[in-house]
Amino acid sequence: MGPDVPLLNDHKQEFLLKRFPQTVLGGPRFKLGHCAPLYIYVNQIILFLIPWVFGGIGTLLYQLNVLQDFYTAAVSGGLMLAAAIIVQAINMFARQKTASVERVRVHSTLTDEDEWEFSSCVGSETVRFIISGKKYMINVIFHSVLAGVLCGLGTWYLLPNRIASLYEGNIGGTVMIFIFGWVTICIGEYSLIISTASETATYQALDTYEIVPLMRPFYIFLFIAVDLAHRFLADMPALTLANQILHIVFLCLPLLWTLGILPPLDALFLWGMEQVLELGLGGSPMSSNLRLLAMFLISVGTVIASYFIPSTLGVILFMTGFGFALSLNLNEVWFAFSHTVVKSLPSSKFKNRSAHCKTQFGWREFMFYLTVLAVALLEASLLHSFHGSQAFPKSSLQAIMGFVLIVLLLTTWVLSEIQTVYLLGLFRNPFYPKDIMMVNVFMKKQRMLKRLGVLRRILVTLVSPFAMIAFLSLDNSLHHLPSIYISIGFSRSFRMVWQNTEYALLDMVVVSTVQLLLLNTDLWWNRSLDTGIRLLLVGIIRNRLFQFISKLRFVLTVLLTSWTEKKQRRKSTATLITLNIAFSPIVLVLVALSALLSSPLLPLFSLPIFLIGFPRPIRSWPGPVGVTACMCPDTIYYQQMVPSLTTALQSAFSIGSLGLCSPGSHYLCRFQDRLVWILVLERGFTYCCLNIKGLELQETSCHTAEAHRVDEIFETAFEQDEHSHAISFNHHFGNILTPCAVLPVKLYSDARSILSGIIDSPDNRKQLKEDFIKILIWVLIQYCYEKSKTQKLLESRPKSMPESPPVELPEIFEKVVERSPWKDEDGLSVQSVEDWTDDSSLFDDELCKKLPKPKEIAAQGVTPRPFFSLPGSVEIHTTETELPEAASVNKLYKTVVLGLPTVDTGKQWGQMDLPPVKFSNPYSELLSLPEEWRTALLPVTKLRDMKQRFPEDWYHFVLHQLDFFHLKGKPPSLYGDLVKDSALKDLYIQGILPCCISVFGIEDTIPSPGHIFRAYNGGLPWSVCLDWLTAKQELFQLALQAFRYSVKLMIDKASLGPIENFKELLNYLEEYHNNWYVGLMCEKEWQQAVLQEKPYLFSLGHDPNMGVYTSRVLTLQDFLVQVGKLNGEAVRGQWANLSWELLYATNDDEERYSIQAHPVLLRNLTIQAADPPLGYPVYSSEPLHVPLL
């Protein structure tokens, strides 16, 4: 895709040109996709000007001295209220009229919108087209009343005499403000009552509760509120100046609404609470809206409570204690408390419920926090009582503590920098290990850095907070009764000591340095401000300055890469760069305003056209974190690695190897084909809250291009030659990704191999057929042996235990499986394929079939064959005729019947019941096969052939490996008797033969590669024994498990060499059984094995493009995952553009320019990481509270 791909396709351009005038005017639709009668436009103009007409009537009455100003406002508001009610009533009448008979709309394929047919000026279609109406009756009443109030107060706000008095009789200014001010009010009224415009500032994808119509009136009310305050409060020069300025800004409201700078109401309130909590109260952004609201209210209540405490010592203790408490993870504290209370309750119901709950807050953490709190309170009280009344000379104790803080800041900063791979993001750290490949080698090389990291952790967690508390407690301002400024400033400062220690330390160093340098000057800084307010101002400046630098770096990156990256160079690029340089002061002002508002800087269509996005919470998205994701089979791999990754991040954040962990920080992790996106949601004392997302593994061309650049960046940083230069420059400094560190994470590596020369070797395939018999013997003996142990455990249950209904063994296995066989997603089904051939070359990667519906099975007259895709899992289905018999059986197994035919003609198939088998050894019954497994119709010739091929040596060897530890008083000759029991051997021959016929067919031929692949996937060819075998699901699953083990053994022998003896073969099988899952990737049990962290997983596949068979092996072990930090403002800016493009411009073209690969901005990956429905991560975790203690 070239760089000059259209930003919008033709249809979207036409759509945007129609939508944009509606946004500017507040809702009137003057540009339609088809011709409309003139009265459509006239009606909209009349409705648009109605508020101005009513306001004009009231203004005229006031100017003629007929009514006073407040009566004028009441008259205009009453008229507007009546008009709003009439308008809504007309719309409701029109909807009721057309509710029963809906007019058919003509669909236009060119505009992809509905065309309306209008019958008359006041027809129902005309009314419904112009007046959108409300969904809820409560909104009909509320919005109508609000429209009346808005018109009345707007009339009062724009009275000419009032405006003239503000600007000292300036007639020209008064006329301009009156005219354009009423245009602003008409836009707000139209959006509220008639038809709501589509806002460029869209936060929620759906407006469920009709909040969007309130947006524009709300901002109008804010301006009017300032004017009302100026009217009724005492004459304040600052308020007068603010009112004058706001009257001028009032005229610009339509422009601000059009550009999308003013946020929607939900985003406004969330952003406002977040900013006040973080900057004004010393808190942190929260991971959810509910937590944000609760923390905001508690924090405000704490500040108010501190104002009313009469004792200065009490104020110090209160601020110190609550500052520490509010910085903790209160969610975990409450969870641990409720968990403890529930455990103490006598009811077992609550105990069982709490047993499944996990908390990271235990007695160790509780004692640590209690000790820290006690020491902090003791320190603050002692220092305040004995040394707090001093001023701030250079020899004072507070000044000394200022020097201590400077030393701590420098020390912690240096210790943090040497933990990362790049110093200041520019130079390669000479102390960081080079050529990182193996986990063990890396951990040894990093041992010294780990020790320094532990030292930094102690300094940040314990030393720095107590030093800052000492600095604050020694302040002279706290010896006066608290004012509102002291309550706000010091409450914030005492909390930031714990909530965000690194930034609090920086702020206090700046304040103490300025105080030392400006000691003898009578400046406003020292004279009018106490230390708490100074810290508040420094904190705000520091926050906005860091944002400004980050946004400016983002702007420069977009500008430079739009030319240096050839694939991003468009025809308009040179012009845009020239305009940005020519108007660079304006660009800098936009960056500064964006930083001041803490709103994203939006690059329109990812071009160097910069706009100020509307302020929004740091999470950028409205929904709950981690609720939605584009789930797919790859999701499970991210789900498995998250716990181990979280543990690694816990250590990395603690020692500072990932930089400052502040809310809004973004990190990118890379390992093989996996990309993990990490967002820091909140931060507190010894904890942080993360959202971890996994990006798609099926790489597109854009995904591959950016992933390749990510690999190149990490390779340059981490994989260097030991003899390379000690200090090297970061050649990817302009990229938004800066490598930080590598973390050891326990996850699966993915190895894929081509089986050419293995699966197509006749010798290997012939040996596979022989190995299958041996492995099936081992599988069946192990199955019967495990059943005998289970039955023994049931019989040994104490009699004192409460009685429960008797449970048959098949039911036990059924409960273990816990799955319904008739669900389509449960994996494979084995069907009778009439046109099945071995030389078919068209295979899927994995043959995942679906079961036929029960009705179809019944119509075919075939016994239902439920399929379980977990090898070795079993489930017995008992028919109604078997229930009485099964209930009466109390022995371990039923009587054994060989089921051989009584007359052998050599040509006939059949069986007749024979007398029960008499074992020569009574213990043989423990290993006998179930009766229903010996009822197959078998040819006598095949039975004789199987007896000759039966590997007796292997059979005897397997029997000797059984320990029978669960049997008491077993005879010493047990194994010899089992081996000599010919009846037991005949049973296994009888059970193995139908499995061999079903898997390999009736003919004694070497299976083809296609046969092996299909059989591995469960697609067995039809044979006389297939229906019988598939009806015995336990036996079928065991046979399938044995065949898959045989395939795995064939590959291992071809790779590692032949097997020398039976002991080595047994080791292979035990290894498969204990540490491997051999199956299919599409099976549900594959995902369960991944979550259970099975050490190895194996799957057989086929590449139809190359025409080769493949194997896939997942290996679980510790690997080094590369982690880099992203430019948070670059991410927020691209997400803001994504929101604008999809929610307003509806530019959902999959090949649009703004989604194309950008190796420097990582544009495609950033869009993937957005929350659905705009982004498409395959995994998104719920908020993860990571302890850093």
Side-chain angles (χ1 to χ4, degrees):
M1 188 66 66
D4 286 313
V5 60
L7 302 177
L8 288 170
N9 58 38
D10 295 337
H11 164 64
K12 294 300 180 183
Q13 289 180 14
E14 182 181 355
F15 174 78
L16 186 61
L17 289 176
K18 290 189 296 183
R19 170 171 280 192
F20 187 72
Q22 299 178 30
T23 303
V24 174
L25 298 176
R29 288 185 275 186
F30 293 135
K31 182 176 177 59
L32 306 178
H34 57 282
C35 295
L38 180 62
Y39 55 77
I40 295 296
Y41 305 100
V42 174
N43 288 348
Q44 292 184 86
I45 293 174
I46 293 174
L47 291 174
F48 182 83
L49 296 177
I50 280 179
W52 200 346
V53 172
F54 293 154
I57 294 174
T59 302
L60 182 62
L61 293 177
Y62 173 75
Q63 293 297 122
L64 297 176
N65 294 324
V66 176
L67 294 175
Q68 296 182 4
D69 54 358
F70 49 88
Y71 289 121
T72 297
V75 169
S76 299
L79 292 175
M80 189 64 210
L81 174 61
I85 294 176
I86 293 173
V87 166
Q88 294 300 318
I90 292 174
N91 176 264
M92 294 175 64
F93 176 76
R95 284 191 295 175
Q96 291 178 357
K97 184 178 180 181
T98 58
S100 56
V101 180
E102 189 73 23
R103 183 183 297 272
V104 178
R105 298 180 183 178
V106 180
H107 189 76
S108 172
T109 57
L110 296 178
T111 62
D112 196 24
E113 289 188 341
D114 293 329
E115 292 187 359
W116 295 70
E117 295 181 359
F118 304 104
S119 57
S120 65
C121 179
V122 292
S124 59
E125 285 295 325
T126 303
V127 172
R128 294 174 62 240
F129 174 78
I130 296 176
I131 306 172
S132 59
K134 308 296 178 183
K135 292 188 293 185
Y136 307 106
M137 180 58 65
I138 186 65
N139 284 337
V140 172
I141 300 173
F142 176 65
H143 291 184
S144 299
V145 173
L146 198 63
V149 175
L150 179 62
C151 184
L153 294 179
T155 303
W156 205 4
Y157 184 72
L158 295 176
L159 288 175
N161 289 351
R162 174 64 177 172
I163 299 174
S165 64
L166 278 176
Y167 298 98
E168 299 179 355
N170 190 327
I171 298 177
T174 301
V175 172
M176 294 292 292
I177 292 175
F178 179 79
I179 293 175
F180 290 101
W182 269 109
V183 171
T184 301
I185 293 178
C186 288
I187 291 174
E189 291 279 11
Y190 197 98
S191 178
L192 179 64
I193 292 300
I194 308 301
S195 178
T196 303
S198 298
E199 300 290 350
T200 53
T202 303
Y203 188 55
Q204 300 275 2
L206 298 175
D207 184 26
T208 306
Y209 301 104
E210 296 178 317
I211 300 176
V212 175
L214 303 176
M215 171 185 164
R216 302 193 181 200
F218 173 80
Y219 287 105
I220 295 175
F221 279 125
L222 289 183
F223 284 79
I224 294 175
V226 176
D227 183 70
L228 293 177
H230 183 227
R231 285 174 181 266
F232 295 107
L233 295 179
D235 190 13
M236 300 172 58
L239 194 58
T240 302
L241 179 61
N243 198 12
Q244 291 174 347
I245 296 175
L246 290 180
H247 268 77
I248 298 175
V249 177
F250 186 77
L251 310 182
C252 302
L253 278 180
L255 178 63
L256 298 178
W257 289 328
T258 302
L259 295 178
I261 298 177
L262 298 179
L265 297 186
D266 48 356
L268 174 66
F269 286 110
L270 293 175
W271 169 82
M273 286 192 295
E274 193 174 87
Q275 294 297 308
V276 173
L277 180 62
E278 182 180 9
L279 300 180
L281 302 174
S284 165
M286 294 286 113
S287 59
S288 67
N289 297 337
L290 184 60
R291 285 172 61 88
L292 177 63
L293 178 60
M295 185 58 70
F296 176 79
L297 296 177
I298 295 173
S299 302
V300 171
T302 301
V303 173
I304 296 174
S306 65
Y307 175 74
F308 292 100
I309 298 177
S311 169
T312 57
L313 179 60
V315 170
I316 290 290
L317 296 177
F318 183 83
M319 291 180 177
T320 304
F322 269 87
F324 175 80
L326 294 179
S327 66
L328 298 177
N329 188 359
L330 297 181
N331 186 50
E332 284 293 320
V333 174
W334 170 254
F335 186 80
F337 173 76
S338 60
H339 178 69
T340 305
V341 172
V342 167
K343 286 178 64 177
S344 63
L345 294 177
S347 175
S348 60
K349 175 182 178 181
F350 294 100
K351 287 185 179 181
N352 294 335
R353 184 179 301 175
S354 65
H356 300 283
C357 302
K358 296 182 179 179
T359 177
Q360 300 169 346
F361 192 89
W363 284 107
R364 182 176 67 91
E365 291 79 7
F366 175 76
M367 294 305 299
F368 172 77
Y369 292 138
L370 189 62
T371 303
V372 171
L373 177 59
V375 174
L377 293 175
L378 182 62
E379 177 192 17
S381 60
L382 292 178
L383 291 177
H384 175 75
S385 301
F386 296 104
H387 299 280
S389 59
Q390 301 179 12
F392 195 83
K394 293 183 179 180
S395 59
S396 67
L397 187 57
Q398 189 178 18
I400 295 174
M401 291 306 304
F403 288 110
V404 173
L405 293 179
I406 294 175
V407 174
L408 283 173
L409 176 64
L410 294 176
T411 305
T412 55
W413 178 77
V414 170
L415 292 177
S416 177
E417 281 295 314
I418 64 175
Q419 298 292 325
T420 60
V421 67
Y422 282 121
L423 301 176
L424 301 175
L426 289 172
F427 306 101
R428 182 56 158 79
N429 183 2
F431 303 102
Y432 203 85
K434 297 181 179 180
D435 192 19
I436 300 167
M437 296 298 292
M438 302 299 295
V439 178
N440 296 334
V441 176
F442 169 74
M443 297 304 291
K444 290 180 181 179
K445 293 181 178 180
Q446 204 192 21
R447 193 168 297 167
M448 180 56 66
L449 292 180
K450 281 278 189 179
R451 293 171 182 171
L452 295 177
V454 172
L455 175 60
R456 177 196 175 274
R457 179 179 177 182
I458 295 174
L459 292 178
V460 172
T461 305
L462 294 176
V463 179
S464 296
F466 288 120
M468 287 186 284
I469 286 178
F471 179 83
L472 294 174
S473 302
L474 293 169
D475 194 80
N476 189 38
S477 304
L478 291 175
H479 279 267
H480 307 288
L481 288 178
S483 63
I484 188 63
Y485 301 106
I486 291 178
S487 296
I488 294 175
F490 279 95
S491 294
R492 174 190 177 277
S493 301
F494 275 104
R495 181 173 179 180
M496 272 204 69
V497 165
W498 309 101
Q499 188 86 51
N500 203 331
T501 306
E502 293 92 338
Y503 283 141
L505 185 60
L506 175 61
D507 295 346
M508 290 190 188
V509 166
V510 172
V511 169
S512 62
T513 303
V514 171
Q515 285 182 281
L516 290 171
L517 295 177
L518 303 178
L519 180 61
N520 297 322
T521 57
D522 188 19
L523 294 180
W524 166 78
W525 176 266
N526 282 341
R527 185 182 67 252
S528 303
L529 300 178
D530 58 74
T531 303
I533 298 299
R534 293 173 197 154
L535 289 171
L536 188 148
L537 293 177
V538 169
I540 294 175
I541 294 172
R542 180 256 309 154
N543 181 278
R544 294 322 194 227
L545 179 61
F546 286 177
Q547 285 195 37
F548 177 81
I549 295 173
S550 183
K551 293 176 191 291
L552 186 60
R553 183 179 172 185
F554 173 49
V555 168
L556 294 176
T557 301
V558 174
L559 279 172
L560 294 176
T561 56
S562 64
W563 182 261
T564 57
E565 295 288 332
K566 293 184 179 180
K567 292 186 177 180
Q568 308 300 325
R569 193 183 302 169
R570 299 172 60 88
K571 295 179 180 179
S572 60
T573 299
T575 304
L576 292 175
I577 293 177
T578 304
L579 291 175
N580 275 276
I581 295 174
F583 296 98
S584 56
I586 297 178
V587 175
L588 290 176
V589 169
L590 290 177
V591 175
L593 287 176
S594 177
L596 186 64
L597 294 173
S598 187
S599 60
L601 189 67
L602 188 153
L604 194 64
F605 296 108
S606 297
L607 295 174
I609 304 173
F610 300 102
L611 301 175
I612 301 176
F614 66 88
R616 65 199 78 188
I618 201 71
R619 303 193 307 272
S620 296
W621 307 111
V625 175
V627 173
T628 56
C630 302
M631 307 292 287
C632 71
D634 296 332
T635 302
I636 202 69
Y637 302 111
Y638 290 110
Q639 191 174 351
Q640 176 274 326
M641 70 179 293
V642 162
S644 179
L645 177 61
T646 303
T647 303
L649 291 172
Q650 175 182 352
S651 175
F653 284 133
S654 299
I655 65 178
S657 61
L658 299 182
L660 290 179
C661 173
S662 57
S665 299
H666 295 261
Y667 297 90
L668 186 67
C669 304
R670 178 68 168 171
F671 173 74
Q672 290 187 349
D673 58 349
R674 267 156 277 186
L675 281 165
V676 179
W677 194 284
I678 302 173
L679 170 62
V680 181
L681 299 172
E682 63 179 90
R683 171 71 191 275
F685 182 60
T686 67
Y687 88 97
C688 66
C689 186
L690 308 176
N691 171 231
I692 299 179
K693 296 177 181 177
L695 306 187
E696 63 179 355
L697 302 184
Q698 302 295 330
E699 299 182 351
T700 61
S701 58
C702 296
H703 180 106
T704 303
E706 294 185 358
H708 178 71
R709 178 60 63 89
V710 171
D711 292 336
E712 181 181 338
I713 294 172
F714 283 133
E715 182 179 352
T716 304
F718 296 114
E719 299 177 11
Q720 293 193 351
D721 187 10
E722 291 288 347
H723 304 288
S724 61
H725 296 289
I727 298 179
S728 59
F729 183 73
N730 180 11
H731 299 287
H732 300 279
F733 177 72
N735 200 289
I736 69 169
L737 176 66
T738 302
C740 293
V742 292
L743 306 178
V745 180
K746 189 176 183 181
L747 45 76
Y748 283 99
S749 66
D750 193 349
R752 301 171 189 258
S753 304
I754 297 176
L755 300 180
S756 299
I758 298 177
I759 197 171
D760 50 4
S761 170
D763 295 336
N764 291 340
R765 288 183 274 123
K766 181 179 180 182
Q767 186 63 38
L768 172 110
K769 196 170 182 180
E770 298 175 2
D771 290 338
F772 172 74
I773 298 176
K774 295 180 182 179
I775 296 175
L776 184 58
I777 291 173
W778 180 81
V779 169
L780 292 177
I781 292 177
Q782 289 295 320
Y783 169 78
C784 296
Y785 177 68
E786 293 298 329
K787 281 183 67 175
S788 68
K789 291 197 297 185
T790 306
Q791 183 66 21
K792 190 68 177 180
L793 292 175
L794 292 176
E795 293 178 353
S796 61
R797 184 178 61 182
K799 296 182 179 179
S800 59
M801 294 180 62
E803 294 186 0
S804 58
V807 180
E808 298 293 334
L809 269 175
E811 295 179 8
I812 295 176
F813 285 95
E814 200 170 5
K815 292 179 180 178
V816 172
V817 176
E818 291 183 355
R819 54 182 295 168
S820 174
W822 296 107
K823 291 183 179 179
D824 288 344
E825 67 271 17
D826 281 351
L828 310 174
S829 62
V830 181
Q831 303 297 328
S832 298
V833 184
E834 296 179 358
D835 55 347
W836 191 93
T837 58
D838 287 346
D839 40 340
S840 176
S841 60
L842 298 177
F843 299 102
D844 294 330
D845 185 37
E846 285 188 358
L847 192 62
C848 292
K849 302 179 182 179
K850 293 194 175 182
L851 292 169
K853 296 181 180 179
K855 292 182 180 179
E856 298 175 359
I857 297 176
Q860 297 172 1
V862 181
T863 305
R865 299 190 299 268
F867 183 83
F868 300 93
S869 54
L870 176 62
S873 62
V874 292
E875 181 170 356
I876 296 297
H877 295 274
T878 307
T879 61
E880 295 180 359
T881 58
E882 295 173 339
L883 285 177
E885 181 183 2
S888 62
V889 174
N890 296 322
K891 297 182 180 180
L892 182 61
Y893 297 106
K894 298 180 184 179
T895 307
V896 179
V897 180
L898 284 174
L900 296 176
T902 55
V903 178
D904 180 14
T905 63
K907 299 178 181 179
Q908 296 180 357
W909 297 62
Q911 72 172 40
M912 293 181 62
D913 292 338
L914 290 178
V917 175
K918 295 182 179 180
F919 294 112
S920 61
N921 179 17
Y923 290 98
S924 296
E925 292 187 4
L926 297 175
L927 300 179
S928 65
L929 299 179
E931 179 184 351
E932 61 271 15
W933 292 6
R934 304 188 298 275
T935 59
L937 303 175
L938 300 174
V940 176
T941 55
K942 288 295 180 182
L943 188 61
R944 290 174 179 171
D945 182 52
M946 178 57 66
K947 286 184 178 182
Q948 296 176 359
R949 295 167 51 196
F950 188 77
E952 291 193 24
D953 294 342
W954 168 252
Y955 171 73
H956 296 161
F957 177 79
V958 173
L959 290 179
H960 277 90
Q961 304 306 312
L962 304 178
D963 50 18
F964 291 101
F965 69 91
H966 57 287
L967 297 180
K968 296 181 180 179
K970 59 183 178 181
S973 60
L974 173 62
Y975 299 103
D977 295 339
L978 289 175
V979 168
K980 296 176 183 178
D981 196 336
S982 59
L984 181 63
K985 185 185 74 170
D986 291 341
L987 287 180
Y988 279 94
I989 295 174
Q990 181 75 6
I992 290 172
L993 180 56
C995 297
C996 293
I997 294 176
S998 299
V999 173
F1000 297 107
I1002 193 69
E1003 301 296 333
D1004 189 12
T1005 58
I1006 299 176
S1008 67
H1011 184 119
I1012 294 174
F1013 176 70
R1014 290 206 173 190
Y1016 184 93
N1017 285 269
L1020 303 179
W1022 185 88
S1023 65
V1024 292
C1025 296
L1026 180 61
D1027 289 342
W1028 176 88
L1029 179 61
T1030 52
K1032 312 295 185 294
Q1033 275 299 303
E1034 288 179 84
L1035 182 58
F1036 176 78
Q1037 287 299 313
L1038 294 175
L1040 182 61
Q1041 180 190 24
F1043 183 80
R1044 290 176 173 178
Y1045 283 177
S1046 303
V1047 174
K1048 181 68 176 67
L1049 183 63
M1050 177 188 69
I1051 297 173
D1052 288 346
K1053 289 196 298 183
S1055 305
L1056 305 176
I1059 295 176
E1060 301 294 338
N1061 49 50
F1062 288 159
K1063 183 63 177 178
E1064 187 176 354
L1065 175 58
L1066 182 64
N1067 292 336
Y1068 270 103
L1069 297 181
E1070 290 179 346
E1071 174 72 11
Y1072 296 159
H1073 183 72
N1074 297 326
N1075 298 326
W1076 285 79
Y1077 176 79
V1078 182
L1080 301 175
M1081 292 180 291
C1082 64
E1083 293 174 342
K1084 192 174 182 179
E1085 287 72 19
W1086 177 282
Q1087 300 181 4
Q1088 293 175 355
V1090 171
L1091 290 180
Q1092 294 168 2
E1093 296 192 340
K1094 205 78 170 174
Y1096 306 97
L1097 291 91
F1098 172 85
S1099 178
L1100 186 68
H1102 182 264
D1103 188 344
N1105 297 322
M1106 299 177 60
V1108 294
Y1109 295 94
T1110 61
S1111 66
R1112 183 182 186 186
V1113 177
L1114 300 184
T1115 304
L1116 180 67
Q1117 65 185 68
D1118 288 334
F1119 293 96
L1120 294 176
V1121 175
Q1122 299 158 331
V1123 184
K1125 191 171 186 178
L1126 296 159
N1127 185 339
E1129 293 304 325
V1131 174
R1132 295 183 66 200
Q1134 294 181 79
W1135 280 355
N1137 175 69
L1138 174 67
S1139 178
W1140 182 88
E1141 272 199 76
L1142 293 186
L1143 297 182
Y1144 180 75
T1146 65
N1147 187 22
D1148 56 353
D1149 187 356
E1150 294 182 356
E1151 299 298 330
R1152 64 185 184 273
Y1153 171 78
S1154 60
I1155 203 175
Q1156 300 301 313
H1158 196 303
V1160 180
L1161 292 178
L1162 304 181
R1163 186 167 54 198
N1164 187 266
L1165 297 180
T1166 303
I1167 290 175
Q1168 287 185 48
D1171 281 6
L1174 305 186
Y1176 44 97
V1178 299
Y1179 172 77
S1180 181
S1181 70
E1182 295 183 352
L1184 302 173
H1185 297 273
V1186 181
L1188 304 180
L1189 182 60

